[in-house]
């Protein structure tokens, strides 16, 4: 785990604390020079095949379609992403540029997430929708375990 953290720091990922787990094949796309910062909170879990993007070049198609030449590449292409403390990102999830995930969130496997995700949210699907609050979900699960 220390090697994964070190290698991601080298490419610009900022860690606020130490992650619980990051799978070696998660793609963490930090672009701090272009303005696409990636910040990962304390005790996060990032599962296999997760893709976290801080850039999107698709806007170029639109700009070319209207023959627009005067636009700021960096401002349009790079948007920061942050993942809050104690959050879990499930296998194959895709986190799109400009996304902020709060603390204690669960992002389901295969979910495609964009925008502001409130603390304690469970997000599933494509596009991701809020399924439940992690606190209420944990209470229900705990009740059935007793």
């Amino acid at each position: 785990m220390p090697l994964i953290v070190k290698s991601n720091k080298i490419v610009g990922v900022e860690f606020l604390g130490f992650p619980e787990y990051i799978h070696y094949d998660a793609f963490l796309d930090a672009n701090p020079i272009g303005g696409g910062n990636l910040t990962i909170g304390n005790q996060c879990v990032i599962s296999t095949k997760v893709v976290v993007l801080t850039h999107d070049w698709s806007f170029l198609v639109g700009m070319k379609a209207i023959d627009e030449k005067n636009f700021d590449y960096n401002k349009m292409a790079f948007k920061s992403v942050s993942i809050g403390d104690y959050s879990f990102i499930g296998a194959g999830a895709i986190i799109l540029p400009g996304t902020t995930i709060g603390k204690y969130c669960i992002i389901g496997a295969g979910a495609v997430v964009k925008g502001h995700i409130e603390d304690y949210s469970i997000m599933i699907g494509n596009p991701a929708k809020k399924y439940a609050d992690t606190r209420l979900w944990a209470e229900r699960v705990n009740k059935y375990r007793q």
Side-chain angles (χ1 to χ4, degrees), residues 73-90:
Y73 279 95
N74 286 347
K75 190 173 184 179
M76 293 181 79
F78 298 103
K79 294 188 176 23
S80 295
V81 171
S82 68
I83 300 171
D85 295 344
Y86 303 98
S87 288
F88 174 92
I89 313 296

Side-chain angles (χ1 to χ4, degrees), residues 54-118:
T54 63
H55 77 283
D56 178 4
W57 290 102
S58 64
F59 73 90
L60 286 174
V61 174
M63 294 295 110
K64 289 176 184 176
I66 62 171
D67 200 29
E68 179 64 44
K69 295 186 182 18
N70 297 318
F71 58 91
D72 184 343
Y73 279 95
N74 286 347
K75 190 173 184 179
M76 293 181 79
F78 298 103
K79 294 188 176 23
S80 295
V81 171
S82 68
I83 300 171
D85 295 344
Y86 303 98
S87 288
F88 174 92
I89 313 296
I94 300 172
I95 312 300
L96 295 174
T99 298
T100 301
I101 298 173
K103 62 184 178 183
Y104 297 99
C105 289
I106 298 172
I107 306 300
V112 178
V113 181
K114 182 176 177 132
H116 177 76
I117 309 304
E118 296 175 0

Side-chain angles (χ1 to χ4, degrees), residues 3 12-13 16 28 36 50 54 58 70 84 88 91 93 97 102 116 119-120 122:
L3 185 58
V13 176
L16 305 176
L28 307 179
V50 167
T54 63
S58 64
N70 297 318
F88 174 92
H116 177 76
D119 294 347
Y120 306 102
I122 298 175

